[in-house]
Amino acid sequence: MLETIDTSMIDWSRAQFALTAIYHWLFVPLTLGLAVIMATMETLYVRTGNEFWKRTAKFWMKLFGINFAIGVATGLILEFQFGTNWSNYSWFVGDIFGAPLAIEGILAFFMEATFVAVMFFGWHKVSKGFHLASTWLTGLGATISAWWILVANSWMQYPVGMEFNPETMRNEMVDFMAVAFSPVAVVKFFHTVLSSWMVGAAFVIGISAWYLIRKREKEFALASMKVAAAIGLFAALVTAGTGDKSAYQVAQVQPMKLAAMEALYEGGTHEPLTVVGAIKIPEMLSFLATHSTSGYVPGINDLQNGGYTLPDGSTALSAEEKMANGKKAITALADFRRAKQQGDESAMQIARSALDEYMPYFGYGYIQDKDTLVPHVGLLFWSFRVMVGLGMYFILFFLVILILVWKKQLAKLNWLHWIALWSIPLAYIASQAGWIVAEMGRQPWTIQDLLPVNAAVSKLETGSVQTTFFIFLVMFTVLLIAEIGIMVKAIRKGPDEK
């Protein structure tokens, strides 16, 4: 079947999914970040009885609502594409991948939909405590939604808790807990959600700085900055910690991604971490990847050629050997199904034994060229450094803002207000760079080692995919411009009067 699929159609399907994911991820981080900030502000209102905090919370809720609505629309389109553009993927692992998405839709989405209405329209209609609970539960619903989506994504990076059934030619879930709470999913959840809090904090600080530049709403702006900077600093520090854990996991389960992130072609022990150019931190890469400064880190060529010793003492296979084993797995599957049709139990057992042996390399059987196993090194190398560099910047940024606002000096520093305002796009760039590293680093795999993109795609006409790509491009751009326009109008108006 693969020979009949136009490679340009595969590229266009990938481009369409990437386009939708990138646009969707413009809205999600702000939703998650604003949720915790506005809930914190309403908590201050309930605890102090100060109407100022109610007014402040309601303003950020307004911006949350605008962003939330458009984020939901792009997210629905993203999920539909699994069925339209990636039907082979949906068939192959739908029993596993569909479970977390179904839970996300039934539990989290309905939870958000229920309590978001109370949050927006329940002022003076329900008690303060119930309204506060609704605000927190709206944010919790969005966070739970993120959890299940990230569980599904993490399973694509590190497939666990399943077995392949040759009778149905599908992977089937055998351990829900292994899928739902895999170590990769847990780390990815905290890293992603806390980094989203950073985006929300940078947004609130930047918009508040605009009011200071305009010499408007000084008390509102400084109070918002104080809350956002405290949450942002906490989030930035935890994000850095989970980033370290994520790097270690990547080294264990996706070594090619790590090698590409570091542009490391020839591996070794005591490997330094490249900062930029010739600037390196001695032995740091070995420490991040193995938790030992003398640990061995394979490079791209090592992973392609094999022959080095794995942590369990076995010898790493070359790409060609994995591809050969993958073809044996595909052949064994065909033999099993043929034997089943013929009712030959003995042949079925032989084929099943071979399939079990070579199934870990199943996806490699669809790889045509071993060079496609190497993701785009330049894009990953620089995206990783943009992400890490901006992450360090925001730790310093939130710390400085927090110190100055507590010392009551922030209102005087007009130059810092401009830096804060222009830090908003930097937060989005850092967030997008992180997803580029995560998703481009997995290429050419839809599911790591199990299913490459050329075997996951639907058989569609290239022209139809191109047409929908440009329709989505126009539609998402219009939505983004509309959101920015509505937000700008709300920001210019400012918080509602008491």
Side-chain angles (χ1 to χ4, degrees):
M1 182 186 75
L2 297 181
E3 291 75 10
T4 66
I5 296 179
D6 184 0
T7 55
S8 65
M9 190 276 295
I10 298 173
D11 292 338
W12 276 103
S13 292
R14 290 179 62 191
Q16 186 186 101
F17 193 85
L19 173 76
T20 310
I22 287 171
Y23 268 91
H24 180 56
W25 196 248
L26 290 173
F27 307 110
V28 174
L30 188 57
T31 294
L32 296 173
L34 281 181
V36 69
I37 292 171
M38 68 189 190
T40 300
M41 291 173 174
E42 187 177 347
T43 301
L44 292 171
Y45 161 63
V46 172
R47 292 192 64 180
T48 66
N50 189 342
E51 290 290 323
F52 165 81
W53 285 114
K54 176 182 176 181
R55 179 173 178 256
T56 304
K58 288 182 73 173
F59 173 77
W60 297 112
M61 281 181 187
K62 185 189 303 182
L63 300 188
F64 170 89
I66 297 167
N67 183 80
F68 176 80
I70 299 179
V72 169
T74 55
L76 290 173
I77 293 172
L78 189 66
E79 291 193 16
F80 284 143
Q81 287 186 14
F82 285 110
T84 57
N85 292 55
W86 305 96
S87 58
N88 286 340
Y89 167 84
S90 298
W91 168 262
F92 193 58
V93 296
D95 291 350
I96 307 164
F97 190 79
L101 294 186
I103 295 172
E104 184 266 336
I106 295 171
L107 174 63
F109 187 75
F110 279 103
M111 182 177 174
E112 293 172 77
T114 300
F115 290 106
V116 76
V118 178
M119 185 183 76
F120 281 115
F121 305 112
W123 294 104
H124 308 299
K125 295 181 177 64
V126 297
S127 68
K128 287 183 180 180
F130 186 75
H131 191 278
L132 176 62
S134 297
T135 301
W136 277 109
L137 287 169
T138 297
L140 180 62
T143 304
I144 293 174
S145 180
W147 168 265
W148 290 112
I149 290 171
L150 291 169
V151 163
N153 180 270
S154 298
W155 185 85
M156 296 167 72
Q157 313 274 351
Y158 178 53
V160 292
M162 52 80 180
E163 288 181 0
F164 181 72
N165 185 348
E167 303 269 355
T168 61
M169 294 184 64
R170 294 164 66 96
N171 281 281
E172 299 173 352
M173 186 185 299
V174 295
D175 189 345
F176 175 77
M177 298 302 289
V179 174
F181 297 100
S182 81
V184 173
V186 172
V187 171
K188 182 178 282 290
F189 169 77
F190 283 104
H191 189 70
T192 303
V193 171
L194 271 296
S195 67
S196 297
W197 290 15
M198 291 170 58
V199 174
F203 179 84
V204 169
I205 291 172
I207 299 303
S208 299
W210 181 83
Y211 285 108
L212 294 179
I213 292 170
R214 295 284 179 148
K215 302 189 185 305
R216 293 176 53 193
E217 301 287 352
K218 179 180 176 181
E219 183 185 6
F220 159 83
L222 292 175
S224 295
M225 284 176 148
K226 184 187 295 186
V227 172
I231 292 172
L233 180 60
F234 168 78
L237 292 173
V238 177
T239 299
T242 55
D244 170 70
K245 293 183 181 297
S246 180
Y248 177 76
Q249 290 178 342
V250 167
Q252 308 310 307
V253 301
Q254 294 176 303
M256 184 63 82
K257 178 190 287 188
L258 181 69
M261 285 161 51
E262 285 300 308
L264 181 68
Y265 285 88
E266 302 296 338
T269 59
H270 303 278
E271 282 295 319
L273 178 70
T274 301
V275 180
V276 177
I279 303 175
K280 300 177 184 291
I281 304 175
E283 301 184 331
M284 182 55 71
L285 181 59
S286 284
F287 181 77
L288 289 175
T290 68
H291 287 173
S292 170
T293 56
S294 61
Y296 177 81
V297 183
I300 292 171
N301 292 337
D302 303 305
L303 293 164
Q304 291 285 64
N305 299 327
Y308 61 93
T309 303
L310 295 168
D312 63 2
S314 61
T315 301
L317 299 181
S318 67
E320 287 91 346
E321 289 172 313
K322 292 178 180 179
M323 291 161 63
N325 286 345
K327 289 179 172 59
K328 292 177 182 177
I330 294 171
T331 300
L333 176 60
D335 291 343
F336 177 88
R337 295 184 64 79
R338 187 181 308 109
K340 181 183 178 183
Q341 290 177 346
Q342 296 170 353
D344 189 338
E345 293 289 339
S346 176
M348 285 175 63
Q349 291 180 2
I350 294 173
R352 181 60 189 265
S353 178
L355 183 60
D356 291 342
E357 179 181 357
Y358 297 115
M359 191 63 198
Y361 308 100
F362 184 83
Y364 286 92
Y366 293 101
I367 300 297
Q368 308 291 326
D369 180 357
K370 73 172 186 177
D371 289 338
T372 61
L373 293 170
V374 183
H376 196 293
V377 175
L379 181 60
L380 282 178
F381 180 87
W382 288 110
S383 295
F384 179 68
R385 275 143 191 81
V386 166
M387 177 187 68
V388 174
L390 288 175
M392 295 174 66
Y393 163 79
F394 277 108
I395 292 176
L396 179 62
F397 173 75
F398 293 133
L399 181 61
V400 169
I401 294 292
L402 196 58
I403 291 173
L404 291 175
V405 76
W406 276 105
K407 288 188 173 183
K408 303 185 186 304
Q409 296 178 4
L410 184 58
K412 307 172 186 177
L413 304 176
N414 195 60
W415 59 270
L416 187 56
H417 304 159
W418 283 105
I419 290 176
L421 182 59
W422 285 105
S423 290
I424 295 175
L426 294 182
Y428 280 97
I429 290 170
S431 185
Q432 293 286 350
W435 274 110
I436 289 172
V437 171
E439 299 308 299
M440 288 299 296
R442 190 178 70 239
Q443 296 304 311
W445 303 106
T446 309
I447 308 168
Q448 184 69 41
D449 295 340
L450 192 62
L451 189 70
V453 291
N454 63 329
V457 72
S458 301
K459 188 177 180 181
L460 302 169
E461 294 294 329
T462 303
S464 65
V465 181
Q466 289 173 326
T467 300
T468 51
F469 173 88
F470 288 109
I471 289 173
F472 288 155
L473 176 61
V474 172
M475 181 175 66
F476 293 152
T477 303
V478 169
L479 284 174
L480 180 60
I481 292 172
E483 181 195 32
I484 293 173
I486 297 169
M487 278 197 167
V488 168
K489 184 177 180 180
I491 291 166
R492 284 177 175 169
K493 179 182 177 183
D496 294 334
E497 295 301 321
K498 295 181 182 180

